[in-house]
């Protein structure tokens, strides 16, 4: 199933995870070679551009081949199906669109993020000011004396955010408290859009209702710090938000679809963004549970046949 052509949503989801992985490669290289931050940022830019070109060329040839050998038997594209559903259920999609627009404006433009115990913005600003990666303590402004635990040093998000700020000129506060959380929420909805397609294939109305239900759960489930909605709306730049909104649900979906390459991509991405005690975390546990259930399902008919014999 890994060889099946991916949808636009899957390309964007997995593309975001690949960006994390490429950023991690540049980050580790600069960290262990003790390179300045601006060199690390340029390495990230080169890797991102190379990955974009490598992904674009096969897609371009595929589109050319499609136009050349197109037939009436070809199925509808994902974009065409979306606009078809939009024409069939305009009121439902207007409600979903209005709710999502409200979430993006209200949560990321009018609310204060929850930053207790978090120094991501300070770390990003320190990297930009000192041109070093974890060389200066963001709380004191002095060089680290005892150093940081290696498991914290290899986490890539502060370096990635600092590189994005360096590329765009956007301040660390706007990048971390506004742009990144909105992007994480958007990709999270893409993940649950794929869940909708998996649970309700060829049932457009049920898929739209599932997305509406997801949006309502996020919106009205942000009342406590342990809730997914709270993490995405008020701490959306943290690794925990990326894990709970993107990595974990996408790992479960790909495990059920037997897309093991995508599962591995999720597992590697989790290691890059969240403290996992030098090992794999929730995503690996979720994939392991799915694999265990599949093994039990396969063994049950054999046990039944043996008892019957």
């Amino acid at each position: 199933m890994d060889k099946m052509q991916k949808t636009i949503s899957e390309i964007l989801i997995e593309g975001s995870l690949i960006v994390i992985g490429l950023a991690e490669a540049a980050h580790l290289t600069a960290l262990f070679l003790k390179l300045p931050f601006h060199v690390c940022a340029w390495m990230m830019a080169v890797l991102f551009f190379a990955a974009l070109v490598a992904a674009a060329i096969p897609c371009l040839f595929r589109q050319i081949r499609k136009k050349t050998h197109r037939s009436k038997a070809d199925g509808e594209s994902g974009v065409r199906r979306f606009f078809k559903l939009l024409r069939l259920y305009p009121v439902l999609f207007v409600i979903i669109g209005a709710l999502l627009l409200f979430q993006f404006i209200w949560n990321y433009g009018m609310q204060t993020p929850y930053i207790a115990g978090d120094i991501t913005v300070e770390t990003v600003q320190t990297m930009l000011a000192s041109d070093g990666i974890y060389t200066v303590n963001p709380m004191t402004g002095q060089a680290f004396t005892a150093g940081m635990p290696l498991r914290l040093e290899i986490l890539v998000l502060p370096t990635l955010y600092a590189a994005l700020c360096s590329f765009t000129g956007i301040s660390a506060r706007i990048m971390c408290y506004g742009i990144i959380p909105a992007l994480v929420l958007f990709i999270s909805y893409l993940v649950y859009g794929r869940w909708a397609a998996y649970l309700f294939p060829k049932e457009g109305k049920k898929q739209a209702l599932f997305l509406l239900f997801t949006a309502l759960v996020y919106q009205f489930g942000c009342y406590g710090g342990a809730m997914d909605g709270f993490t995405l709306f008020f701490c959306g730049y943290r690794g925990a938000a990326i894990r709970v909104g993107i990595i974990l649900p996408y790992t479960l979906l790909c495990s059920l679809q037997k897309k093991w390459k995508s599962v591995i991509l999720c597992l590697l991405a989790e290691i890059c963004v969240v403290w996992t005690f030098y090992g794999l975390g929730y995503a690996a546990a979720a994939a392991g549970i799915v694999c265990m259930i599949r093994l039990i399902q396969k063994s049950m008919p054999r046990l039944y046949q043996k008892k019957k014999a």
Side-chain angles (χ1 to χ4, degrees), residues 48-66:
F48 294 162
F49 180 76
L52 183 62
V53 172
I57 291 176
C59 290
L60 181 61
F61 280 109
R62 193 179 299 119
Q63 290 299 321
I64 294 173
R65 196 180 300 114
K66 273 186 178 180

Side-chain angles (χ1 to χ4, degrees), residues 202-222:
K202 299 181 181 180
E203 296 184 79
K205 187 176 182 179
K206 290 183 178 180
Q207 292 177 15
L209 288 171
F210 181 85
L211 279 179
L212 177 60
F213 174 75
T214 303
L216 291 172
V217 169
Y218 275 167
Q219 186 60 47
F220 295 103
C222 63

